[in-house]
Amino acid sequence: MAAVDNRRPVASSEPTTSASELAGRHIVLGLSGGIACYKAAELVRELVKAGATVQVVMTEAAEHFITAVTLQALSNRPVFTSQWDARDHNNMAHINLTREADAILIAPASADFIAKLIHGRADELLSLACLARPIERCPLLVAPAMNREMWAHPATQRNFAQLAADGATVLGPGSGDQACGEIGDGRMLEAAELRDALVAFFQPKLLAGKRVLVTAGPTFEPIDPVRGLTNRSSGKMGFAIARAAADAGADVTLIAGPVHLPTPRGVKRVDVTTAVEMHDATLAAAPASDVFVATAAVADWRVASVAEAKIKKAAGRAVPAFELVENPDILAAVARLAKPPFCVGFAAESNDLIVHAREKLVRKNVPLIVANLGPQTFGRDDNALTLVDASGERELPRADKLTLARQLVAEIAARLPRHG
Ligand code: CTP
């Protein structure tokens, strides 16, 4: 634990992303007409950067908003715009397009295009391809994009509900400023959000139906109104675990100390500052949880009495001395519950990793400790982990934190009781 005046947790504006999460995936990206077509260019880039191959199909309306040239350049593939396109030898683009595809993503999905899809109409290439896709192995995802009144209209709501009932996954919409100047629901999700949603869609649902509680980041223990005790934890590992658990189908609550990280999609976040606040929020949620992952770097001590006013220097005045009291051990408290969730602790050490991890396994009475070398991970995007449990040790070699989080989620899922 480090005492600091003005040091802030290592910040990151970037969500943790693994470079090759869509490697080997072939995505048909369909654009229907709407101003959100401008975001499709960025979306193609994001999908390609994540390793996917992207085949763009555009409706005639979409071509009024963005050119096929732009999308061909970014996807490195000729774009399809017409059902009469004769480039395919059998002249059946509407069939061929989806036979190798892992998914069709319609982004933007206009109100009119969805109205057409739910009736099984197929009077141009994109709706034809949606109808002709092998429904069992080529899922349909749609990202609505429209004015808030159009989105709220009962006809649109009915149509999207029907589309979902037919098996499609609806991504968004987002809320906020709209191109028309109005504010409300109906914005298409941003390119990075759609990429993350697609990545999540393909994750095995290893924690479906499970409730997962995660603590993350440092805590901040005030000394006076402007100073405090904290540490260098960035929260990245905990946020990556929350995201990986949500992507694996869990219902996730993330209790976060002071960090500057975006909340992963679909995760319920509770912000706290001090160890006592984190303890109270965690103990309130723990009894209803199936899994508890304690990644937070909880400050071990707090100042016994916090000064109400800023402590001032003055000539001749002694350097202040602080009496410290120990903070509650959150992990040990959860593990002591009558029916504890499956508890996973982290051990950030500077030396003798396994010895200390094993000692924590016993002292905190938890079934799994994840050990890492603290100074080599704080604030970084990658890490190396050693899983320590009663049966032995297992290395998870150095990788980005999201990759490690997905591996850890799989390890946890494998250790959960099958029923119950
Ligand atoms: N932990 C906790 N509450 C605390 C201290 C730690 O829940 N007050 C959790 C951490 O989130 C982590 C694990 O316990 O999962 C180990 O934390 P660590 O700080 O490494 O262990 P300590 O028990 O504080 O032991 P030490 O600092 O002496 O290594």
Side-chain angles (χ1 to χ4, degrees):
M1 192 168 69
V4 289
D5 267 357
N6 51 5
R7 210 158 172 182
R8 300 168 70 89
V10 181
S12 168
S13 56
E14 289 286 305
T16 316
T17 307
S18 171
S20 56
E21 291 225 285
L22 292 174
R25 301 283 184 193
H26 181 59
I27 309 298
V28 170
L29 177 64
L31 280 65
S32 58
I35 184 59
C37 280
Y38 83 90
K39 295 184 185 174
E42 190 70 37
L43 177 57
V44 173
R45 268 189 80 77
E46 290 294 340
L47 298 182
V48 168
K49 266 200 295 191
T53 52
V54 180
Q55 175 60 60
V56 177
V57 182
M58 301 170 73
T59 65
E60 195 219 328
E63 287 187 276
H64 286 277
F65 292 94
I66 187 168
T67 69
V69 175
T70 301
L71 296 163
Q72 175 170 352
L74 294 172
S75 65
N76 198 24
R77 280 170 168 257
V79 169
F80 282 84
T81 56
S82 164
Q83 61 183 311
W84 309 118
D85 191 319
R87 276 174 295 176
D88 282 2
H89 293 305
N90 61 0
N91 215 323
M92 291 189 197
H94 66 291
I95 304 288
N96 306 338
L97 276 167
T98 58
R99 290 310 180 262
E100 287 160 71
D102 293 296
I104 302 186
L105 169 61
I106 310 289
S110 69
D112 179 58
F113 189 75
I114 297 306
K116 204 156 80 168
L117 275 194
I118 63 149
H119 291 293
R121 289 188 51 201
D123 57 356
E124 44 68 50
L125 182 59
L126 186 55
S127 50
L128 257 171
C130 288
L131 196 65
R133 79 189 200 280
I135 200 162
E136 295 303 329
R137 61 181 168 83
C138 182
L140 177 65
L141 297 94
V142 297
M146 64 198 73
N147 164 269
R148 67 191 173 108
E149 299 290 359
M150 294 171 77
W151 171 250
H153 195 284
T156 308
Q157 291 297 310
R158 198 166 57 233
N159 291 346
F160 273 92
Q162 182 59 55
L163 196 71
D166 288 346
T169 299
V170 180
L171 305 175
S175 188
D177 290 344
Q178 304 205 307
C180 52
E182 297 179 5
I183 299 171
D185 292 344
R187 278 170 65 97
M188 187 167 90
L189 296 183
E190 301 304 321
E193 292 176 298
L194 288 174
R195 174 206 61 207
D196 289 351
L198 200 59
V199 168
F201 179 81
F202 287 122
Q203 295 306 311
K205 303 301 172 214
L206 300 173
L207 291 178
K210 300 290 182 196
R211 282 158 305 181
V212 174
L213 180 62
V214 182
T215 59
T219 63
F220 180 90
E221 313 299 326
I223 293 172
D224 68 14
V226 295
R227 305 187 182 88
L229 302 173
T230 189
N231 60 65
R232 294 175 58 205
S233 165
S234 67
K236 286 180 180 173
M237 193 67 225
F239 274 60
I241 289 169
R243 175 174 165 191
D247 288 357
D251 180 356
V252 181
T253 301
L254 172 62
I255 300 183
V259 294
H260 305 276
L261 294 172
T263 310
R265 232 173 62 88
V267 167
K268 183 179 158 220
R269 173 171 179 173
V270 180
D271 283 319
V272 296
T273 303
T274 66
V276 169
E277 286 170 12
M278 185 174 276
H279 171 272
D280 293 351
T282 305
L283 269 290
S289 303
D290 299 296
V291 176
F292 173 47
V293 189
T295 69
V298 183
D300 290 307
W301 304 281
R302 66 180 182 279
V303 177
S305 62
V306 177
E308 275 177 26
K310 185 180 174 197
I311 301 166
K312 304 293 283 179
K313 294 194 297 281
R317 189 180 289 174
V319 173
F322 299 110
E323 188 195 335
L324 298 179
V325 290
E326 195 167 326
N327 274 323
D329 188 323
I330 302 168
L331 177 58
V334 173
R336 274 196 306 270
L337 289 174
K339 282 190 177 174
F342 182 85
C343 288
V344 182
F346 267 66
E349 308 295 344
S350 58
N351 56 292
D352 298 324
L353 194 58
I354 304 302
V355 175
H356 288 306
R358 221 159 254 301
E359 180 271 322
K360 277 175 195 169
L361 193 74
V362 174
R363 174 162 53 89
K364 305 206 181 205
N365 191 26
V366 295
L368 181 61
I369 288 281
V370 182
N372 63 136
L373 290 168
Q376 289 181 21
T377 178
F378 280 168
R380 288 179 58 150
D381 288 324
D382 64 353
N383 199 357
L385 303 177
T386 307
L387 308 189
V388 180
D389 67 9
S391 64
E393 283 115 46
R394 171 139 196 223
E395 303 279 335
L396 301 183
R398 185 159 289 281
D400 65 88
K401 288 183 174 174
L402 185 57
T403 299
L404 290 170
R406 294 204 195 287
Q407 292 171 358
L408 181 60
V409 158
E411 295 279 348
I412 292 169
R415 287 168 165 83
L416 293 183
R418 299 247 172 260
H419 307 285

